[in-house]
Amino acid sequence: MRTLAAAVTTPVFNAPVQAFLRDFKTNEPLSIVELDRDVFGTPIRRDILHRVVVWQRDNMRQGTSSTKTRSEVIGTGKKAAPQKGRGKARVGDKKAPHFRGGGVAFGPRPRDHGTDLPRKVQELGLRVALSAKYAQDQIIIVDSLHQYNNHKTRDLHQILQTTYEGSRSLVIIDSCNTQLELAARNLPNCEVIHVEETNVLDLMTYDKLIVEKDAIDTLQEALKPE
C-alpha cells in the first residue's frame, strides 16, 4: 500500500514537455528535445496577456501630439470689439478658443504615455505566451542557424513559402546572424529578433515561432520561476 500511495502521490506534472528538433530549411525532424514545463506548460491566462500587451503598447506611444493654447497662437492681443454699445456679447482678443484661428482649450500636449508593470508579471506574460504557442503547435525548434549564411531575400522567401506555408513567422536567434537578418529585412511576413528582444506583442502577432535551440535554452534559464 505504501508503494502504491507513493506512486500515486508522485508529482507527474513536473515532467518535461517534448518537442521535435527540426532542420530549418527542410523542417525535417532531427531529434526530440525536452522543454521546461514551468516555461512552456504554464496555464493560459488571457488577462495576463492583455495586461502585458497594453503595457507594451503604452510604452510604444510617441506622445508627441501638441496643440497651441491662446498664449501661443500668433495674433494681436487687442480687444476685438467695444465692450458696450453693439448689442452683442462681450469679447476679448481673437486668440480666444471660441474664435476661428484661436488657441485650443485643453488640447493634447507632449507627454509620456508609459505605464508600469511588475517584472514578475512581465515574465509571467512571456511564459503564458510561449505556452500558448506550444499548445497550439506553433513553435518550431530548429537546429543552429549559424550555418545559414545566405543574405538573399529571394532564397529565404522560398524557404518560408515551401517549408512553412508562407505563414507570418517570427525567427528568434541566440546570437547575431547578419546574413539572416539581411535576408529577412525586406520580408513583410518575417521578422528576425535576438532572444533578448523576445516580447509578448511579437509572440502574439506572428503565426509561427521559429526558435533556435540555443535561444530555447536561454529563454528557459531566464524565465524559470523563482
Side-chain angles (χ1 to χ4, degrees), residues 3-23:
T3 305
L4 179 61
V8 172
T9 58
T10 301
V12 296
F13 296 103
N14 293 331
V17 294
Q18 295 180 335
F20 283 111
L21 179 66
R22 300 177 179 272
D23 181 75

Side-chain angles (χ1 to χ4, degrees), residues 141-195:
I141 303 176
V142 299
D143 202 2
S144 176
L145 291 174
H146 296 293
Q147 302 174 356
Y148 190 87
N149 54 4
N150 188 354
H151 68 280
K152 293 291 187 180
T153 302
R154 178 181 62 245
D155 298 337
L156 180 59
H157 177 70
Q158 183 68 21
I159 293 175
L160 295 176
Q161 288 291 329
T162 57
T163 307
Y164 301 101
E165 302 174 352
S167 302
R168 290 173 54 85
S169 302
L170 178 67
V171 182
I172 300 180
I173 58 178
D174 186 63
S175 58
C176 182
N177 188 338
T178 306
Q179 302 295 327
L180 181 60
E181 294 177 24
L182 287 175
R185 187 170 60 180
N186 203 30
L187 292 176
N189 292 331
C190 180
E191 183 179 359
V192 177
I193 63 174
H194 293 250
V195 64

Side-chain angles (χ1 to χ4, degrees), residues 94-113:
K94 288 287 188 178
K95 295 190 292 183
H98 58 280
F99 282 116
R100 180 179 180 183
V104 178
F106 309 111
R109 304 293 292 176
R111 67 186 183 93
D112 183 14
H113 294 273

